[in-house]
Amino acid sequence: MSDAALDVRDAPDGALVLVLAGRLAADTVPNVWRTALRAVREQPARRVTVDAAKVEYCDSAGIALLVDLMRQPRQAPVDVANLNPSYQALLRQFDPQTLDHDLDPEPPRRPALEEIGRAVATALRDLRTQIEFLGHATSAFVSAVRHPSTIRWRDVWLVCERVGADAMPIVALMAFLLGVILAFQSAVPMKRYGAEVFVADLIGLGMVRELGTLITAILLAGRTGAAFAAEIGTMRVNQEIDALTTMGLDPVRFLVTTRVMAALLMTPLLSLFATLVGIMGGAFTMLSFGIPFVTFVKEVEGIVTFQDFMAGWVKSFVFAAAIAAIGCLRGLQTAAGASAVGDSATRAVVSGLVLIVLIDGVFAVIYFFLDI
């Protein structure tokens, strides 16, 4: 096959004829593209006919040349004639007129007040959805507890392994570092007054009442909540959730209950583990300040009561249920698209962290009025 060639002629009826010949491919089209465009643009009032009878081969680059000629802003149209039918079928897939407009225009910017109203309405709708889902999940959970034989215990133990055992290394690392940092930052100013021993009180109460459970919940939101959303979101994208519904199975009872139950079983244990590791981190740090390990432990035993322990441990159950449920909800809300699963995982993490702060604040107010 020969290279692309272009011959510009004048027709007897006054039209301009562009005779294309040879091979219109990516490596040959640039040689004639500029010439053809120049000829079309220099005489916008003349009718132009592109004669493609001698075109031996035409790929996407050749079709792009023809479409570009047809879409030029002119008073008279540009027509393509004598093109091979197989190549004509490719050309018909493109509408040159639509290429002059943005096919995905940016939505118009609304007034700030309207944007705020829409955001508030979206947040209220999402809150209503969460409340409805919470009721549905609670009903399914109570039904599962009343009828243990309906629970898929194999799935529960598998999820428990992922939520609990697999999370122990990262929980231990974060809790130990938190105890070390808290002890060091507290001991430096208290050393001025010779009160380093009271750092044990601070670390003991802080880890037992607040930080042990809180760090576990944050890791649960970032690790387990996102995993739940991604798993169920992938099932939604693959239409497995629709298949469960078609078979008469409730996705909430089938998928959500097992994950919430696993989170309720493992999170309190992880919270207790994180609390102990955090206290150990503080104890090792205080060794460098001359506080023996035994003295540190005795000080913690003297300041921390069973009431303090329960005040922090009870929150772990609420954190577990809220974060597991919101992760499953975001997964069930997954839309279609390549980025849908990632968006669901992101929303699960953000919602989980917000819930942690809100729940912790509610507990703080309750403990204040109950003098706990």
Side-chain angles (χ1 to χ4, degrees):
M1 295 185 183
S2 59
D3 290 343
L6 174 65
D7 185 18
V8 181
R9 303 175 182 175
D10 292 325
D13 59 355
L16 183 66
V17 180
L18 304 182
V19 181
L20 288 174
R23 182 172 177 271
L24 301 182
D27 56 341
T28 61
V29 161
N31 299 330
V32 300
W33 198 314
R34 296 186 184 88
T35 305
L37 282 180
R38 187 183 308 112
V40 170
R41 291 172 178 172
E42 287 178 350
Q43 304 183 52
R46 293 183 63 181
R47 186 169 59 87
V48 177
T49 300
V50 180
D51 187 358
K54 298 181 180 180
V55 173
E56 303 171 4
Y57 173 81
C58 182
D59 63 9
S60 58
I63 297 298
L65 167 62
L66 298 177
V67 172
D68 193 23
L69 295 175
M70 297 169 63
R71 65 184 287 268
Q72 296 301 312
R74 295 171 43 83
Q75 300 176 12
V78 176
D79 300 321
V80 178
N82 304 322
L83 184 62
N84 186 290
S86 59
Y87 305 142
Q88 185 68 37
L90 294 176
L91 182 61
R92 281 197 298 267
Q93 297 181 15
F94 301 93
D95 184 3
Q97 304 301 324
T98 61
L99 297 179
D100 293 333
H101 308 285
D102 188 359
L103 300 181
D104 188 17
E106 183 179 353
R109 303 185 67 87
R110 301 182 180 90
L113 188 61
E114 182 178 352
E115 290 289 350
I116 294 174
R118 287 177 176 270
V120 172
T122 302
L124 292 177
R125 284 196 298 268
D126 186 63
L127 179 61
R128 177 181 177 181
T129 302
Q130 293 182 36
I131 294 174
E132 292 176 349
F133 179 79
L134 179 62
H136 193 177
T138 302
S139 173
F141 185 81
V142 171
S143 176
V145 171
R146 292 177 59 186
H147 304 88
S149 59
T150 62
I151 300 175
R152 303 166 65 234
W153 290 107
R154 179 180 176 84
D155 290 348
V156 172
W157 304 136
L158 289 175
V159 178
C160 282
E161 181 181 358
R162 297 204 308 268
V163 174
D166 293 349
M168 289 183 68
I170 185 63
V171 170
L173 176 63
M174 296 297 293
F176 184 83
L177 292 177
L178 185 62
V180 169
I181 294 171
L182 184 61
F184 188 79
Q185 294 294 335
S186 303
V188 170
M190 295 183 72
K191 185 178 181 181
R192 300 176 184 177
Y193 308 100
E196 299 96 322
V197 69
F198 295 109
V199 174
D201 300 353
L202 172 64
I203 295 175
L205 288 175
M207 295 301 300
V208 170
R209 290 184 63 95
E210 189 71 30
L211 296 179
T213 303
L214 192 61
I215 192 64
T216 304
I218 292 174
L219 291 174
L220 178 69
R223 185 181 182 276
T224 306
F228 288 172
E231 291 172 1
I232 298 179
T234 302
M235 296 178 68
R236 170 67 74 183
V237 172
N238 293 336
Q239 298 183 345
E240 297 176 37
I241 303 295
D242 298 333
L244 289 175
T245 305
T246 302
M247 292 187 293
L249 299 174
D250 184 4
V252 175
R253 295 178 182 270
F254 196 77
L255 299 173
V256 177
T257 303
T258 56
R259 286 166 170 79
V260 173
M261 185 171 296
L264 286 172
L265 291 174
M266 291 294 104
T267 304
L269 299 179
L270 282 176
S271 299
L272 180 59
F273 175 68
T275 300
L276 296 176
V277 172
I279 293 175
M280 293 293 293
F284 280 112
T285 303
M286 294 310 297
L287 289 175
S288 62
F289 288 88
I291 304 299
F293 184 79
V294 176
T295 303
F296 186 94
V297 173
K298 289 295 183 180
E299 190 70 23
V300 172
E301 289 180 351
I303 193 66
V304 176
T305 64
F306 181 74
Q307 178 176 295
D308 295 324
F309 169 74
M310 292 303 298
W313 201 55
V314 167
K315 291 191 290 186
S316 64
F317 292 92
V318 183
F319 286 150
I323 295 170
I326 198 65
C328 295
L329 172 61
R330 297 311 183 199
L332 292 173
Q333 290 177 333
T334 302
S339 61
V341 175
D343 292 341
S344 296
T346 302
R347 294 179 63 200
V349 174
V350 174
S351 301
L353 294 176
V354 172
L355 279 177
I356 289 172
V357 176
L358 292 178
I359 293 171
D360 196 51
V362 171
F363 270 102
V365 174
I366 293 174
Y367 289 164
F368 174 78
F369 283 104
L370 294 179
D371 196 21
I372 296 178

